Amino acid sequence: MARSRDEKRDPAASLALLWGEQGQPKRGPKPSLSVERIVDSALAIADEEGLDALSMQSVAARLGVTTMALYRYVPGKAELLDLMVDAAFGPAPDVTSVAGGWRPRLEVWARACWQEYRRRPWMVAATGMRRQLMGPRQLAWIDSALAALSETGLPYAQQHAAFLLLVGHVRGLAQQLADDDAEGREEWDRLTADVWARHGDRFPALTAAIAGGAFAPRPGDPLDFGLERILDGVAVLVERG
Amino acid sequence: MARSRDEKRDPAASLALLWGEQGQPKRGPKPSLSVERIVDSALAIADEEGLDALSMQSVAARLGVTTMALYRYVPGKAELLDLMVDAAFGPAPDVTSVAGGWRPRLEVWARACWQEYRRRPWMVAATGMRRQLMGPRQLAWIDSALAALSETGLPYAQQHAAFLLLVGHVRGLAQQLADDDAEGREEWDRLTADVWARHGDRFPALTAAIAGGAFAPRPGDPLDFGLERILDGVAVLVERG
DNA sequence: CGAGAACTGTGTACGCAATAAGCGATTACG
DNA sequence: CGTAATCGCTTATTGCGTACACAGTTCTCG
């Protein structure tokens, strides 16, 4: 029930690849490829042409080999995606060097995370479809955030919950804005306005909000509002503690 | 550039379908299907077997027609998904009847929204891949939340931002827990523990958190923590007013 | 040094998915 | 009644993921 998405995926194999735990072969011809080169090509394709353009064939073509050659290095597309997801993020920010306690550190972390999602918009779609696998990069980011949170003195359970809250905000925003810079934006706005003219009267609160400019593009980083609210909320909890 | 996901999608057609704006035919044989029946079948398949099992063929088979028959009613799979996403949510909660001002109302709203996501875990994946389209159900939910938020007296822009924050939390949590009740959970934990034993020393904060039980399953609704934090944060803003 | 085992990239082929095009049957309007 | 619109269906195309077997390459062991 509802778990079919993992049916063709081998998490153990992904993890082994992720942590470099496959002993390299002793005999046989020199490999002309490597897992790393394959992942790099896949990332390049996703960056340049979007996730839809990512296929075993497109990756192979970019590397100048046959499609099936990839299967000597990677069990299948699902596992390749696992590797991409972990590799997509840059190195985790070193938050311990930020002065001012947990709050500014978390802020720096959140902004860095946000930057990564903005840099690779396809990540939202890629991770939305599969359970997250614990790769080295992923863990480094988590570790970095938890390091900042540990200074709150909150119980560990609440630190974890706060972390999830923060990531949820970043990811949610990334999804919200995933296509906002794209050229389809205009058509979208036109269509929405059209729907609006036709049926707006059925939604009074929304009508008022639109009239009040709630949906107008605003200057500044869209991350800010939620970030401040969340940290305020955590601060309330810390002080109460 | 990263917009390929919409390349094969006709948002105008989706909207027309969503709002029932396609004049019904005058001549020709009686249709044996309807858009509604198709969407219902598609929802049933997604609910029972997951998003991966959703194909034009599976929908058609469930309805006892050929695959191509569906194309008389729906332009393509992308548009069918648009319809599913809007139809997946039940009617928006009537929040105006909740006593106590904006805070309890928003809380009720968020919990209702959370329930909907829990009921249809595939929604996270389905909406993660495509820009949200404004369907009637969708708009009703948004309207409901904005109605509650309008009582904060905050500027409309901030009401909107607070709304996004709340949805982000709900969605983020839904994704986080999407497979948690599934039978694959055990293998997952085993693999993660294994990775942990091998490389845990590289992540001190994470190690401490795990030792402190940060990742242990906890009683109570996982939504609560973030919900309270967010509302606390908004409350700070309101009082500061 | 020579044999075979381990490993490489490749060619071919299968099955599934989305969907374009065209066919005969059906039905309301003029 | 005829004709145009519309139905569901058959057939064919395209692209995908991947199983399988083959031929060449390199290391290890006898």
Side-chain angles (χ1 to χ4, degrees):
Chain A
M1 34 96 76
R3 294 210 70 264
S4 53
R5 78 191 74 165
D6 285 348
E7 232 121 84
K8 317 195 68 181
R9 192 189 184 194
D10 184 350
S14 289
L15 284 174
L17 255 6
L18 235 18
W19 293 94
E21 284 169 347
Q22 354 73 45
Q24 63 260 37
K26 281 305 172 191
R27 333 181 184 188
K30 308 287 180 197
S32 63
L33 296 176
S34 67
V35 175
E36 208 192 335
R37 289 224 303 142
I38 292 174
V39 173
D40 284 348
S41 291
L43 288 176
I45 291 171
D47 286 342
E48 292 164 18
E49 306 166 62
L51 251 201
D52 289 353
L54 182 82
S55 68
M56 291 295 150
Q57 2 254 328
S58 61
V59 174
R62 175 175 267 257
L63 288 164
V65 296
T66 359
T67 308
M68 292 311 293
L70 303 181
Y71 286 86
R72 295 281 178 204
Y73 301 83
V74 163
K77 195 190 184 184
E79 291 77 15
L80 175 57
L81 260 167
D82 284 335
L83 299 183
M84 290 175 64
V85 166
D86 192 72
F89 272 62
D94 181 16
V95 155
T96 57
S97 62
V98 177
W102 64 270
R103 186 157 179 159
R105 294 188 187 182
L106 266 192
E107 223 175 292
V108 166
W109 185 92
R111 283 187 206 289
C113 187
W114 168 241
Q115 279 310 104
E116 297 298 304
Y117 271 109
R118 298 250 57 181
R119 195 162 56 93
R120 306 211 197 254
W122 51 265
M123 278 287 290
V124 183
T127 57
M129 300 171 63
R130 52 202 330 94
R131 173 183 279 224
Q132 212 84 350
L133 221 45
M134 293 299 202
R137 288 256 180 53
Q138 199 99 87
L139 280 191
W141 278 82
I142 297 178
D143 188 71
S144 178
L146 288 180
L149 273 162
S150 70
E151 295 179 68
T152 58
L154 293 174
Y156 280 118
Q158 296 192 349
Q159 291 181 28
H160 180 226
F163 163 74
L164 289 183
L165 180 55
L166 211 51
V167 185
H169 174 51
V170 172
R171 267 191 56 91
L173 217 56
Q175 190 198 342
Q176 180 77 17
L177 304 184
D179 316 74
D180 262 14
D181 6 72
E183 88 290 342
R185 176 77 196 260
E186 267 179 51
E187 188 199 3
W188 210 268
D189 287 350
R190 197 163 32 74
L191 289 171
T192 306
D194 198 53
V195 163
W196 198 247
R198 242 191 281 279
H199 306 100
D201 48 338
R202 282 159 50 185
F203 308 101
L206 189 45
T207 301
I210 290 180
F215 290 77
R218 270 185 307 286
D221 193 330
L223 186 76
D224 286 350
F225 179 85
L227 185 54
E228 285 169 24
R229 251 23 76 211
I230 289 176
L231 296 181
D232 275 355
V234 173
V236 168
L237 193 64
V238 170
E239 286 158 22
R240 184 190 307 161
Chain B
M1 30 87 86
R3 295 210 70 266
S4 53
R5 78 192 74 164
D6 284 349
E7 232 122 84
K8 318 194 66 181
R9 193 187 180 194
D10 184 350
S14 289
L15 284 174
L17 254 4
L18 236 17
W19 294 95
E21 284 169 348
Q22 354 74 42
Q24 63 259 39
K26 281 306 176 192
R27 332 183 185 186
K30 309 286 183 194
S32 65
L33 295 176
S34 68
V35 174
E36 206 192 336
R37 290 224 303 143
I38 291 174
V39 173
D40 284 349
S41 291
L43 289 176
I45 290 172
D47 286 342
E48 291 164 18
E49 306 166 61
L51 250 200
D52 288 353
L54 183 81
S55 68
M56 292 294 148
Q57 2 257 328
S58 60
V59 174
R62 176 176 265 258
L63 288 165
V65 295
T66 20
T67 308
M68 292 310 294
L70 302 181
Y71 287 85
R72 294 278 179 204
Y73 301 84
V74 164
K77 194 189 185 184
E79 291 77 14
L80 176 56
L81 260 167
D82 284 336
L83 299 182
M84 288 176 64
V85 166
D86 193 71
F89 271 60
D94 181 15
V95 154
T96 57
S97 64
V98 177
W102 63 271
R103 186 157 180 160
R105 291 188 188 181
L106 265 192
E107 224 175 291
V108 165
W109 185 91
R111 283 186 204 289
C113 187
W114 168 242
Q115 278 311 103
E116 297 298 305
Y117 271 109
R118 298 252 55 182
R119 196 160 56 93
R120 306 211 199 252
W122 52 265
M123 278 288 290
V124 182
T127 56
M129 303 172 61
R130 51 203 328 94
R131 173 182 279 224
Q132 214 82 351
L133 221 47
M134 293 298 202
R137 287 254 181 55
Q138 202 98 87
L139 280 192
W141 277 83
I142 297 177
D143 188 72
S144 177
L146 289 179
L149 272 162
S150 71
E151 295 178 68
T152 58
L154 292 174
Y156 280 118
Q158 297 193 348
Q159 291 181 28
H160 181 226
F163 164 74
L164 289 183
L165 180 55
L166 211 52
V167 187
H169 174 50
V170 172
R171 268 190 56 94
L173 218 56
Q175 191 199 342
Q176 178 79 17
L177 304 183
D179 316 74
D180 261 14
D181 6 73
E183 88 289 342
R185 176 76 196 262
E186 267 180 51
E187 188 199 4
W188 210 269
D189 287 350
R190 195 162 37 71
L191 289 170
T192 307
D194 198 54
V195 163
W196 198 247
R198 242 191 281 278
H199 307 98
D201 48 337
R202 284 160 48 187
F203 309 100
L206 189 45
T207 301
I210 290 181
F215 291 77
R218 271 187 307 286
D221 192 330
L223 187 75
D224 287 350
F225 179 86
L227 184 53
E228 285 169 24
R229 249 24 75 208
I230 290 176
L231 296 181
D232 275 356
V234 173
V236 168
L237 193 66
V238 170
E239 285 158 22
R240 186 188 305 161

